[in-house]
Amino acid sequence: MASRFLGRFGTTRNRVGHRLVLATAAFGVVVTCVVAAVQLYGTYRDDIADIRAEVAKVRDSHLPSITTNVWRFEENALRQQLEGLTRLPGIDYLELDTVEGRFFVAGVKPEPVDLTETFELVHHIRGKAEPLGRLTIMASFQPAFARLFDTAFSILVYAGFWTVLVTGFMVLLFRRLVTRHLHTLAEYARAISLDQSDQTLSLDRPQSQPGQEDEFDKLVDAINTMRAELAVTVTDLRRGEIRYKRLFENAEVAIWDVDLSAVIGRMDALRANGVADLRAHLEVHPELVGELFSAIRTNDVNSATLSLFGASDQPAFSAAIAELLGASLAKAFGQAFVCIWERRRVFRSELTARTLSDKAVDVILTFQMPETDDGFRSIPFTIIDITQLRHAEAERANQAKSEF
């Protein structure tokens, strides 16, 4: 069957097609071998990485408790813990040697030993580091090699057979039914312009009868429909953007639109480093508030914001914002960062800021939490001036005091 199939392309008329099928089949074999090799290497590398990850897990998650058990002379707990660690994937053997001369082992020592990691056990007390011993972990890569050779032959035979068979057939099929139309689609997509929505897509192929449309007919119709709808949507979006910009600029309330994506990235890094409670972490590291604040980027400010703080333009406001917030920055934005960390729905805080002319203003800073991380790229901070309200409250309090 295969010879008759290829023989149909062996004539002078179809010689290019014949060579194309043979070249594609040969290429498919080479690709199959390369892909199989890459897949096997990836599988082996993943297995080794998993073993190293388990060793790292012992270091990061179990080493502190092991150190505590050594410090407290909890031998039974140590033995149980070491035995439990040998059940982790890839962990074959552990040795624990204490400074008092006690020696604990768990598991079976592999032959050969392909990975050895030693960790010092140190207990910190009253600011002093007390060495307690060392933990040695040994592992072998032989199970990974065994799995590698078990799957290599089957992958090569199965993938090679189907690659050659399918490649030869798909070359002919795609060239006639798909490839040339894909070129047309690519050229159309390259030249597409939303400002010229009257340019419809058409393919060089017989027109299908009504009710007998195939996938390309549906695709062409969908693209033409999508283009028309997209043009309408873009027009509506442009109008909406203009309306939003007009409302933003003419709002009487100060609006400071910021990008907090870098702040979210810093917080993700803190979580990755084991920080679970940001509020407690900030109490120990108050300087982190300033670092997180410096990661805030200003997208835009409206005229009311510039007027409130006496800034001439956005760059002047952005350059002076930390100075404008002054002593209130640490408290207000410390609370704001905790709110973001805990993903509360709304943040609201009262603080005293200063204008560029060094005039004190009492304001309410508020913003709503977005539903997705991408929403943090544009967060409108609303800044409400309550200076007159606070002055009025102070006057009423003084008047009540004088009358009393």
Side-chain angles (χ1 to χ4, degrees):
M1 176 183 289
S3 59
R4 280 187 312 194
F5 173 75
L6 295 175
R8 295 182 57 187
F9 300 93
T11 63
T12 304
R13 178 182 176 184
N14 295 308
R15 194 178 300 261
V16 174
H18 187 187
R19 291 200 306 268
L20 180 62
V21 171
L22 292 177
T24 305
F27 179 75
V29 173
V30 174
V31 170
T32 298
C33 294
V34 173
V35 170
V38 171
Q39 182 178 355
L40 290 172
Y41 173 72
T43 301
Y44 171 74
R45 185 179 58 182
D46 291 343
D47 287 344
I48 302 305
D50 290 341
I51 294 174
R52 295 186 183 277
E54 292 299 332
V55 173
K57 184 189 296 184
V58 174
R59 177 197 62 203
D60 297 335
S61 302
H62 299 279
L63 197 62
S65 59
I66 293 175
T67 303
T68 301
N69 287 332
V70 173
W71 175 258
R72 295 176 179 176
F73 300 99
E74 297 285 350
E75 292 192 5
N76 291 334
L78 272 175
R79 295 183 188 281
Q80 292 177 1
Q81 190 171 16
L82 294 178
E83 288 295 337
L85 291 178
T86 60
R87 299 188 183 95
L88 294 176
I91 304 298
D92 297 316
Y93 180 74
L94 297 99
E95 291 180 352
L96 177 58
D97 187 11
T98 69
V99 293
E100 292 88 1
R102 291 179 297 162
F103 190 75
F104 303 86
V105 297
V108 178
K109 191 172 184 179
E111 289 292 336
V113 177
D114 297 306
L115 175 64
T116 301
E117 292 284 351
T118 300
F119 305 108
E120 298 294 332
L121 304 180
V122 180
H123 183 74
H124 296 273
I125 180 170
R126 299 176 182 176
K128 182 179 179 182
E130 292 285 344
L132 302 180
R134 61 172 56 89
L135 175 68
T136 302
I137 301 175
M138 298 182 186
S140 173
F141 297 161
Q142 294 307 308
F145 281 116
R147 288 189 295 271
L148 189 69
F149 289 111
D150 288 340
T151 57
F153 181 77
S154 58
I155 290 177
L156 287 173
V157 172
Y158 183 84
F161 172 78
W162 281 106
T163 298
V164 173
L165 183 63
V166 172
T167 300
F169 178 72
M170 291 302 294
V171 166
L172 177 63
L173 185 64
F174 265 76
R175 187 176 57 180
R176 175 61 186 167
L177 300 179
V178 178
T179 304
R180 64 193 184 100
H181 299 312
L182 289 179
H183 281 298
T184 302
L185 288 169
E187 292 297 328
Y188 180 81
R190 188 178 294 110
I192 195 169
S193 173
L194 294 175
D195 296 327
Q196 299 177 353
S197 57
D198 56 334
Q199 295 181 355
T200 58
L201 171 65
S202 61
L203 299 179
D204 182 18
R205 59 199 304 266
Q207 185 70 31
S208 301
Q209 296 297 323
Q212 299 181 358
E213 295 86 356
D214 61 12
E215 289 80 358
F216 270 114
D217 293 319
K218 295 177 182 179
L219 178 61
V220 169
D221 181 66
I223 290 176
N224 287 328
T225 301
M226 179 188 68
R227 179 169 187 168
E229 293 176 350
L230 188 59
V232 174
T233 301
V234 169
T235 301
D236 292 341
L237 287 174
R238 288 172 178 169
R239 292 173 180 171
E241 183 179 359
I242 294 173
R243 288 195 298 269
Y244 169 79
K245 189 67 175 178
R246 187 181 297 119
L247 290 172
F248 178 80
E249 286 295 336
N250 296 329
E252 295 183 1
V253 175
I255 303 175
W256 174 26
D257 189 83
V258 299
D259 180 355
L260 298 180
S261 58
V263 175
I264 297 301
R266 293 291 302 274
M267 289 185 175
D268 290 341
L270 289 173
R271 285 192 174 92
N273 289 331
V275 177
D277 186 345
L278 182 63
R279 188 188 303 276
H281 190 70
L282 290 178
E283 292 177 358
V284 180
H285 303 281
E287 71 282 358
L288 183 59
V289 175
E291 295 177 11
L292 292 174
F293 184 83
S294 64
I296 297 176
R297 295 292 177 264
T298 299
N299 293 327
D300 201 0
V301 293
N302 65 352
S303 300
T305 305
L306 300 178
S307 176
L308 175 61
F309 290 98
S312 58
D313 51 25
Q314 176 185 320
F317 171 81
S318 301
I321 183 60
E323 180 181 350
L324 297 177
L325 295 176
S328 300
L329 186 150
K331 179 180 178 181
F333 275 86
Q335 296 171 354
F337 294 140
V338 171
C339 177
I340 295 171
W341 179 276
E342 298 174 353
R343 298 299 173 96
R344 301 177 195 166
R345 293 180 59 84
V346 179
F347 171 77
R348 183 181 185 277
S349 178
E350 295 186 15
L351 61 136
T352 300
R354 308 200 73 82
T355 67
L356 287 175
S357 60
D358 203 31
K359 177 184 176 182
V361 287
D362 295 319
V363 299
I364 295 176
L365 176 67
T366 180
F367 64 89
Q368 289 188 336
M369 202 70 59
E371 296 181 357
T372 63
D373 284 351
D374 190 62
F376 283 99
R377 296 183 180 277
S378 179
I379 300 289
F381 280 18
T382 302
I383 307 173
I384 304 173
D385 185 3
I386 58 171
T387 305
Q388 294 182 356
L389 176 63
R390 288 291 176 260
H391 288 169
E393 291 176 350
E395 290 178 2
R396 285 196 297 270
N398 291 334
Q399 182 177 3
K401 247 184 223 182
S402 62
E403 291 177 357
F404 180 77

